[in-house]
Amino acid sequence: VFNNALTGFIPSELGLCTNMEQFSVSFNGLTGSIPSELGLCTNLQLFHLQSNHLKGSIPTEIFLAQDLGSFSVVVNQITGSIPTEVGMLSQLTWLGLLSNELRGFLPTELGELTQLTQLVADYNTLSGSIPTEMGLLTELTWLDLSNNKFHGSIPTEL
């Protein structure tokens, strides 16, 4: 249901679709928060909610999908911090967090995402220093952390 004129909330009942492998409702007018029940969809490989009007934090339950390769909540109004549980996603190649209201530190657990090729988290209010563990991301080809509140030096490990 990508790129339609859908409005309203994401139904929590979608969590009953436990065999769902792809969930893409990007480019709609959806509001509300991301239902934690979507974490019951442990076969997810793609989870895209970009360009909606979603608020609230990222439910940690989403990161139970061990085969998740692509996660994007780009251009929403997501708040809170990046959950440390993101480090459990060993198959993740794309992590899209740009243009939200995320705050706090980059979790050191990001360094566990050894398959990650793209991490975009620009235009948030993330702060602190860039963790040295980011240097473990040897497959990374695109890293954008611009327009945040980071300080300190760029780790030599990068």
Side-chain angles (χ1 to χ4, degrees):
V1 287
F2 171 88
N3 198 21
N4 282 284
L6 297 175
T7 58
F9 298 97
I10 298 171
S12 59
E13 291 80 6
L14 285 172
L16 299 173
C17 301
T18 55
N19 291 320
M20 182 168 36
E21 295 179 355
Q22 296 190 6
F23 184 64
S24 179
V25 292
S26 299
F27 302 99
N28 281 290
L30 297 171
T31 56
S33 60
I34 302 168
S36 61
E37 291 83 357
L38 289 175
L40 298 171
C41 303
T42 55
N43 291 319
L44 278 174
Q45 296 170 13
L46 181 136
F47 187 81
H48 285 191
L49 307 178
Q50 42 206 67
S51 296
N52 281 287
H53 306 286
L54 299 170
K55 297 182 178 188
S57 59
I58 300 169
T60 57
E61 293 86 354
I62 299 297
F63 301 120
L64 295 174
Q66 293 299 307
D67 293 329
L68 195 60
S70 185
F71 179 89
S72 181
V73 292
V74 166
V75 190
N76 278 287
Q77 295 150 24
I78 303 296
T79 57
S81 59
I82 301 170
T84 58
E85 289 82 358
V86 70
M88 299 184 332
L89 299 176
S90 60
Q91 302 303 310
L92 196 66
T93 59
W94 161 252
L95 180 56
L97 304 170
L98 95 95
S99 197
N100 279 289
E101 298 170 19
L102 292 168
R103 60 186 182 285
F105 303 107
L106 283 177
T108 58
E109 290 80 2
L110 285 172
E112 298 171 25
L113 302 175
T114 57
Q115 301 301 310
L116 195 66
T117 59
Q118 300 174 4
L119 168 57
V120 291
D122 45 322
Y123 292 98
N124 281 287
T125 53
L126 298 167
S127 59
S129 58
I130 299 170
T132 58
E133 289 82 358
M134 298 286 285
L136 299 171
L137 303 176
T138 57
E139 299 297 319
L140 199 63
T141 59
W142 181 15
L143 173 64
D144 193 345
L145 302 174
S146 58
N147 296 293
N148 279 287
K149 297 178 186 254
F150 293 113
H151 59 78
S153 58
I154 299 171
T156 56
E157 293 81 2
L158 281 177

